[in-house]
Amino acid sequence: MEAAQIAGRAGRHLLTSHGTVGVLTGVPGLRPDAALVATGAAVARGTVASDLPRRTPRLRPELDDLGALAPVDIPEALGRWARWARTATRDEAVTGDDVSGLVERAEALLPLLAGLVGESTDLGTVWRLVTLPIDFEPPRRTRWLTLVRASLLHGAGHRVPPQTVLPALPRRGPVEDFEQAAAAARDASTLLRSFPGVAGLTAEDAARLEQRCAARITELLPGAIAAAGPGRCADCGVSVAPRFPTCRACAARGARRGAPVRRGAPARREDAGSRRSGGRGGPRRGSARRAGRG
């Protein structure tokens, strides 16, 4: 999936005449697996079957399916659609999509209509904003609200500062600053493809900023990885890439067991070593009992 996304972005942004995926080499402590990337690219091309679990097709609501007459009707109409979809797909090879996220978006947007532009915004525009494919999970929810607010103000004839929609390129800073700016540019591009002209910007403006951020990230990333140094797998203690708590083999074993993904910092190597030998990093019970008898 990630190989397909990277290749597709390279083609869409005209970085190459066709989608291209590569690996970063020459970073101390890291060993990129070119064969794994090649396999992902082959799956993306369709020449190799994917080993990912097959997903059941999902039925998604359209505005015409809801029977809503005004924006305020959308949350309740989505609930009715969800109940209908559960019944309609009970004996079918499809399942109704989860609309709880759309309900949350609609409920977050309705106060903006009342407070900013009145309730004159048409139903179709509100639905397009509700279904805008921008992450709504915290902390990205604030970004979605900012872009929706900017679009509503622009539609009502108010001036929207460009930096509200598209941040400036950081002058300097770590890789994370440029990654955040690139993410903001992608969100802005998504908005501007559906609502061109907000804050006097176009999707091409956002794409240019993302490209500049990507170029700067490419320059900074080798040094940032080398400075961070390789981490240690929290389960077996082998070297892993920075920010990864476990190695690929341990992560795969945990996924097969259904174990939760580790989010904390990797354990120290001596702790991992003691787990491999069956110990717990502290005095053994047998040793403690022998010491008591002495």
Side-chain angles (χ1 to χ4, degrees), residues 63-279:
L63 180 58
D64 292 340
D65 301 330
L66 301 183
L69 301 178
V72 71
D73 299 330
I74 291 178
E76 183 179 353
L78 283 168
R80 290 196 303 267
W81 181 91
R83 291 189 292 273
W84 167 84
R86 282 195 296 270
T87 302
T89 61
R90 185 173 299 159
D91 300 322
E92 303 293 335
V94 297
T95 183
D97 205 3
D98 181 10
V99 299
S100 59
L102 295 178
V103 172
E104 289 184 17
R105 290 172 181 245
E107 291 176 343
L109 189 150
L110 290 176
L112 297 180
L113 295 180
L116 292 174
V117 296
E119 298 182 357
S120 59
T121 305
D122 66 277
L123 180 61
T125 297
V126 173
W127 179 250
R128 288 163 59 204
L129 290 170
V130 167
T131 56
L132 204 62
I134 295 176
D135 191 4
F136 191 66
E137 294 298 321
R140 300 292 298 282
R141 182 176 303 183
T142 302
R143 178 64 176 163
W144 180 86
L145 287 168
T146 298
L147 294 177
V148 166
R149 185 177 186 274
S151 180
L152 291 172
L153 288 172
H154 175 80
H158 298 282
R159 180 184 177 277
V160 178
Q163 61 270 22
T164 302
V165 175
L166 193 63
L169 179 73
R171 293 186 177 182
R172 59 180 62 87
V175 170
E176 289 78 9
D177 289 354
F178 290 92
E179 289 177 336
Q180 291 176 8
R186 286 192 294 273
D187 291 342
S189 179
T190 300
L191 172 75
L192 293 167
R193 283 196 297 269
S194 295
F195 298 91
V198 174
L201 299 168
T202 65
E204 289 72 21
D205 296 325
R208 280 193 292 270
L209 175 61
E210 185 182 1
Q211 289 178 8
R212 295 176 67 186
C213 289
R216 190 68 181 125
I217 290 170
T218 301
E219 295 174 1
L220 295 174
L221 192 58
I225 294 176
R232 296 288 177 182
C233 175
D235 286 344
C236 68
V238 303
S239 296
V240 295
R243 305 181 187 178
F244 282 81
T246 58
C247 66
R248 186 180 302 155
C250 291
R253 284 195 294 271
R256 287 195 295 270
R257 293 194 304 264
V261 178
R262 294 176 180 266
R263 298 294 183 188
R268 294 179 301 174
R269 187 170 188 175
E270 57 268 24
D271 293 340
S274 65
R275 280 195 293 272
R276 289 198 301 272
S277 61

Side-chain angles (χ1 to χ4, degrees), residues 6 20-24 37:
I6 294 170
T20 301
V21 183
V23 295
L24 180 65
V37 176

Side-chain angles (χ1 to χ4, degrees), residues 12-90:
R12 286 195 305 274
H13 291 180
L14 304 180
L15 301 178
T16 63
S17 58
H18 56 279
T20 301
V21 183
V23 295
L24 180 65
T25 61
V27 180
L30 300 181
R31 297 187 301 275
D33 190 342
L36 178 64
V37 176
T39 301
V43 171
R45 288 195 305 269
T47 56
V48 175
S50 173
D51 59 355
L52 294 175
R54 294 184 178 275
R55 297 183 179 273
T56 304
R58 306 187 74 85
L59 185 65
R60 294 182 177 180
E62 299 290 342
L63 180 58
D64 292 340
D65 301 330
L66 301 183
L69 301 178
V72 71
D73 299 330
I74 291 178
E76 183 179 353
L78 283 168
R80 290 196 303 267
W81 181 91
R83 291 189 292 273
W84 167 84
R86 282 195 296 270
T87 302
T89 61
R90 185 173 299 159

